Amino acid sequence: MTTIDTPGQPPPHKDPSTIAAQPRPATGSSSSSRRSESARLAVLNAADDLLVEQGFEGLTIEGIAAAAGVAKQTIYRWWKSKVDILFDNLVLDASTALAWPDSPSTPADLRAYVHRFAAFLGEAPAGRVLQALLGHAQLDSRTADLLHGGFLDELRARDVAHTRACLDPAGDDPDERAALLLDALLAPLYHRALVLRRPLDTAFVDALLDRHLPR
């Protein structure tokens, strides 16, 4: 699985060279491999686009196959369900969109990350994927296990560690302080996006950050 620490910015559509880092089916000749990779790219892009257009309930393997121009059986060779396709999209896009600097060390680094997180959750197609999977995870234990075990737990541990590096080291229990601060910064973003269905605009994020972090 692609690590969530890869630097860079999220491309509007998947870069085949990035997708190549994902688990791939065994292939034969180089031309067959290129066709296979092209089909995977088309499926991942189609799933993103259709989720935004039709929502999670309207998204089907049949629809993804038609939009991607591949056979349904081709999709089932690589993924068990639409949840697995969306999950691969989420991990892939988050690896760039939610990247930190190599060595975060200041409150400014944390502020920049919270702005990136807000843009990801509120605007990016992959943010819609995360919202959809979070909702479905409330009803489906397999989705919950996949989302937490394969993405959210790792993301949380990384973000707490980087948040700790951005804080004044003085004081007791820096891990707990970092975790509480991260909760105070990210929980309102989830609430505004998932519950209130309101935009995560720059003014809102800056006001939130100003309550908890120095400029």
Side-chain angles (χ1 to χ4, degrees):
M1 182 177 69
T2 301
T3 175
I4 55 176
D5 252 340
T6 305
Q9 295 300 319
H13 287 281
K14 281 48 168 198
D15 179 346
S17 64
T18 305
I19 289 178
Q22 299 293 313
R24 297 170 59 188
T27 55
S29 67
S30 59
S31 61
S32 174
S33 177
R34 286 193 295 271
R35 289 195 299 270
S36 177
E37 205 61 33
S38 177
R40 282 176 58 81
L41 177 63
V43 169
L44 290 168
N45 283 330
D48 259 359
D49 293 342
L50 290 174
L51 179 72
V52 172
E53 295 172 8
Q54 301 177 4
F56 182 81
E57 292 301 324
L59 184 66
T60 65
I61 295 294
E62 291 80 3
I64 295 171
V70 303
K72 188 168 64 172
Q73 291 82 356
T74 298
I75 293 178
Y76 281 121
R77 288 212 321 266
W78 302 326
W79 296 282
K80 294 180 180 179
S81 69
K82 66 182 181 182
V83 166
D84 296 277
I85 300 172
L86 293 175
F87 178 78
D88 273 6
N89 263 325
L90 172 63
V91 172
L92 184 66
D93 288 344
S95 69
T96 51
L98 299 183
W100 285 76
D102 290 338
S103 299
S105 59
T106 69
D109 291 327
L110 178 55
R111 291 184 71 100
Y113 176 74
V114 173
H115 272 289
R116 287 195 300 277
F117 191 94
F120 177 82
L121 183 62
E123 300 173 13
R128 293 287 295 274
V129 170
L130 177 56
Q131 291 189 40
L133 292 178
L134 284 169
H136 191 60
Q138 309 311 305
L139 305 173
D140 182 72
S141 61
R142 179 181 176 274
T143 300
D145 291 344
L146 180 66
L147 188 58
H148 283 272
F151 178 70
L152 289 176
D153 292 348
E154 181 184 352
L155 182 73
R156 169 73 174 181
R158 184 207 66 175
D159 287 353
V160 169
H162 287 338
T163 298
R164 182 182 65 239
C166 294
L167 301 178
D168 183 345
D172 297 331
D173 205 341
D175 285 333
E176 182 179 4
R177 285 193 297 127
L180 289 174
L181 176 58
L182 193 64
D183 285 344
L185 294 173
L186 298 188
L189 303 183
Y190 280 111
H191 182 263
R192 190 174 176 93
L194 291 165
V195 179
L196 301 181
R197 308 297 293 176
R198 297 179 63 186
L200 301 178
D201 54 87
T202 300
F204 170 78
V205 178
D206 278 335
L208 176 66
L209 286 164
D210 287 346
R211 290 180 62 89
H212 299 283
L213 280 175
R215 281 191 177 272

